[in-house]
Amino acid sequence: LARVSADVRLAHQVEVGTSLSLGALLVLVAPAAVSLGVAGAVVACLACLAVLLRARRLRSGPDALVGLVAGVLGLASTAVSAVWLHPGCRTAVCLVLVAAGGLTLTKAQPGPVPWLWWARVTDAAESLVLVCLLPALVVASGLFATVESWAGR
């Protein structure tokens, strides 16, 4: 029993370390994605949303904290990069940040919350984000344009 407990602790430490590494990678790579244009910014935002939505499922404090910090810092990195690299999109960035803040405040409202309904909505949002991530990656990477040029369009 002691060995199983030690193995579980080690596995948890590995999971937290992996989450930390991926979170740092997300924050550091977001500016490179934004430099690809609108499609790259969409990919970075979708990746941050996926991390944030995944963090809501975690029961352990360190796991959830790593996910939340990585997602928020990734969104901040994406927003700063978008404003820095594409000054014309400041209005859009501000609108997205205001909408995200409004959703956060709505979720943080005290009082009775229909947890089952909210869980289903966030599950659907997480699924939608993950489904949209692959096509956004294809467009941002230029693969779509390459295939389109091969097809003679």
Side-chain angles (χ1 to χ4, degrees), residues 24-109:
L25 189 64
L26 177 66
V27 171
L28 294 174
V29 172
V34 172
S35 71
L36 297 174
V38 174
V42 169
V43 167
C45 287
L46 288 174
C48 294
L49 285 174
V51 169
L52 285 169
L53 288 170
R54 181 186 166 272
R56 74 183 165 79
R57 294 179 181 225
L58 302 172
R59 301 285 179 234
S60 169
D63 294 339
L65 184 64
V66 167
L68 289 173
V69 169
V72 168
L73 287 179
L75 282 175
S77 174
T78 302
V80 168
S81 300
V83 169
W84 183 272
L85 296 171
H86 310 287
C89 72
R90 287 183 180 161
T91 304
V93 170
C94 288
L95 289 174
V96 168
L97 292 176
V98 166
L103 284 173
T104 302
L105 288 176
T106 302
K107 175 70 170 101
Q109 286 286 329

Side-chain angles (χ1 to χ4, degrees), residues 122-146:
T122 53
D123 284 343
E126 184 178 10
S127 297
L128 182 65
V129 164
L130 292 174
V131 165
C132 292
L133 193 55
L134 185 62
L137 279 168
V138 168
V139 172
S141 68
L143 184 62
F144 184 74
T146 303

